[in-house]
Amino acid sequence: MATTTFQLPTSQSAVQLDACSDPLSSIRINQVANLPAFPKSGINTIVRVLYASINGIDYKLPSIPWPIPRLVIGSSPIIPGISFVGRVWKTTHPGLKAGDMVWGKHDAPTKFGACAEFTLISGDQGIVKISDGWTSDHRIDEFAGAAVVALTALQTLQAGDLPYNTSGGQATGGKVFINGGSGGVGTFTIQMAKQCLGCEKVVVSCSGANADFVKSLGADEVVDYRNCGNANLSGWLRDWSKRTGEMFDVIIDNVGSDSDIYWQCHHYLKADGGQYVQVGAGMDFGSFALLAKKMFWPSALGGGKRKYLFLGAQNKKEDFELIGRWMAEGKIKTVIEDDNRFDLADAKKAYMKLSSGRTRGKIVIKIGADNE
């Protein structure tokens, strides 16, 4: 394969952490970190990163007891970060050349992640050019913020039996419940459901303080998960179904901490085609056991009575391109509040804020300037 390239330095500035019981405490900036080695075969691209977005898995996976982090990611130190936007610096990708502005995400956490001046992307599914319709009126860091969460949001909605999906995009309608609407995935799921897939009704849970925020994104009805009256959230949903006489086509669980929402969902999720999709979950063995129970315990023996899917987003070039078009058309946007933008030197502060669980939308880190 032909290679197009700019000159690469011998070292780089990067965020690094260690696989240990408390990876957050080990976060530091290494100004002479190694660059990833460029493979001798296959489709590979080194990107000069302008912005990276951070996600919980960046520090949760390295906190799992040995040897899992080493088997999945590699030995310490680890450069965190999955999603990025930047310029191609070296590539064997047939559709790219050095200098192209691109965005995307790694397939999974890797030893040489996106929170560095240079990151290596393997294959042709996790990297695409910035859409032609994108203008300078928008901030380029939106693409870094979108890569993981927008892809996840799109694929959770694709998994549902919505009219848009079953008709090949020719019909609108359908009802969706989104548990956790103010985070990265939730904000995109709301926008896509209403602005792109034409869902008839989108009901969302979040804290009361974020109710107006998620309504501004398109939510039709909001429930404060902290204040559901005398019932928990599953009880509120059961009452909602009785009150409205309606059932949901899809339930998307971005939190995963309240299992009763699934065990009781036959009261408010359609029997014919209804799909429960879970995205959020803990990284401990108890959470893994509970996931297995939901997936494999037969309904005849007391298991769930509706279809259950735990979804891990898969890199698909056509999905990234679709998201990019929707962003360029103004149908969806990445929610990045001003105090959620950090410089590389403040990466540890960014991760500490993320770990607090009190973040609306996405957190991005500025890695480099486009004129460097």
Side-chain angles (χ1 to χ4, degrees):
M1 294 181 181
T3 302
T4 66
T5 184
F6 294 148
Q7 184 67 38
L8 283 162
T10 57
S11 63
Q12 63 173 340
S13 293
V15 181
Q16 291 185 331
L17 55 77
D18 297 322
C20 59
S21 60
D22 184 16
L24 290 173
S25 67
S26 71
I27 292 176
R28 69 272 188 189
I29 307 299
N30 185 350
Q31 295 182 336
V32 289
N34 292 330
L35 271 73
F38 197 82
K40 295 180 180 179
S41 62
I43 298 175
N44 298 283
T45 304
I46 286 184
V47 174
R48 171 68 164 93
V49 181
L50 300 179
Y51 295 91
S53 177
I54 62 176
N55 298 275
I57 197 171
D58 295 350
Y59 62 88
K60 291 179 180 178
L61 182 57
S63 72
I64 297 176
W66 187 90
I68 293 176
R70 187 181 182 94
L71 293 173
V72 176
I73 309 175
S75 59
S76 298
I78 297 161
I79 298 174
I82 298 176
S83 56
F84 62 88
V85 62
R87 286 199 181 274
V88 173
W89 222 250
K90 182 175 183 177
T91 188
T92 55
H93 191 304
L96 300 175
K97 65 182 184 302
D100 285 343
M101 185 71 82
V102 293
W103 68 291
K105 61 177 280 291
H106 289 278
D107 289 317
T110 177
K111 181 176 174 63
F112 293 97
C115 290
E117 291 180 295
F118 296 92
T119 194
L120 173 71
I121 308 299
S122 298
D124 61 356
Q125 295 298 301
I127 182 169
V128 295
K129 292 181 183 180
I130 297 291
S131 302
D132 291 338
W134 191 257
T135 69
S136 58
D137 294 337
H138 301 82
R139 297 187 62 144
I140 203 71
D141 59 0
E142 285 196 37
F143 284 98
V148 171
V149 292
L151 184 71
T152 303
L154 176 60
Q155 292 181 1
T156 57
L157 288 165
Q158 289 172 335
D161 192 37
L162 292 168
Y164 182 93
N165 298 329
T166 56
S167 68
Q170 301 303 307
T172 60
K175 302 174 182 66
V176 180
F177 173 67
I178 302 167
N179 185 33
S182 61
V185 177
T187 55
F188 269 109
T189 310
I190 294 167
Q191 294 176 81
M192 289 178 181
K194 292 300 292 186
Q195 308 302 328
C196 305
L197 276 63
C199 289
E200 175 187 347
K201 183 167 291 186
V202 176
V203 181
V204 175
S205 75
C206 64
S207 67
N210 287 323
D212 289 340
F213 167 66
V214 297
K215 285 182 179 179
S216 74
L217 297 175
D220 296 297
E221 190 169 350
V222 181
V223 54
D224 181 352
Y225 68 91
R226 297 172 177 171
N227 185 20
C228 297
N230 295 324
N232 55 18
L233 194 51
S234 62
W236 185 93
L237 289 167
R238 188 170 181 171
D239 291 343
W240 178 90
S241 184
K242 289 180 179 179
R243 170 170 52 84
T244 63
E246 299 174 339
M247 303 280 276
F248 293 107
D249 297 276
V250 188
I251 292 176
I252 297 172
D253 189 351
N254 296 319
V255 183
S257 60
D258 185 353
S259 293
D260 276 347
I261 300 175
Y262 173 64
W263 300 127
Q264 299 298 320
C265 72
H266 53 282
H267 295 294
Y268 38 82
L269 180 62
K270 289 181 178 178
D272 183 14
Q275 178 72 63
Y276 191 104
V277 185
Q278 183 172 332
V279 177
M283 297 295 289
D284 57 277
F285 290 110
S287 296
F288 296 151
L290 186 56
L291 286 178
K293 183 178 180 181
K294 292 176 180 177
M295 288 189 286
F296 302 118
W297 193 17
S299 59
L301 299 178
K305 296 178 174 60
R306 294 292 185 268
K307 291 189 296 182
Y308 174 88
L309 172 67
F310 183 79
L311 187 141
Q314 301 295 311
N315 283 352
K316 292 183 180 180
K317 181 182 177 182
E318 59 270 27
D319 285 352
F320 281 119
E321 290 174 337
L322 177 60
I323 292 165
R325 288 198 301 272
W326 284 344
M327 290 175 70
E329 292 167 0
K331 292 181 177 179
I332 58 176
K333 63 180 180 180
T334 309
V335 175
I336 309 172
E337 298 184 335
D338 287 342
D339 59 354
N340 286 337
R341 290 183 164 96
F342 291 83
D343 290 329
L344 180 63
D346 294 322
K348 189 168 187 175
K349 293 180 181 178
Y351 273 104
M352 295 305 293
K353 183 170 186 179
L354 176 66
S355 68
S356 73
R358 294 186 292 273
T359 302
R360 295 202 311 194
K362 290 298 296 177
I363 294 175
V364 294
I365 297 175
K366 182 179 180 180
I367 306 296
D370 197 23
N371 59 358
E372 293 180 2

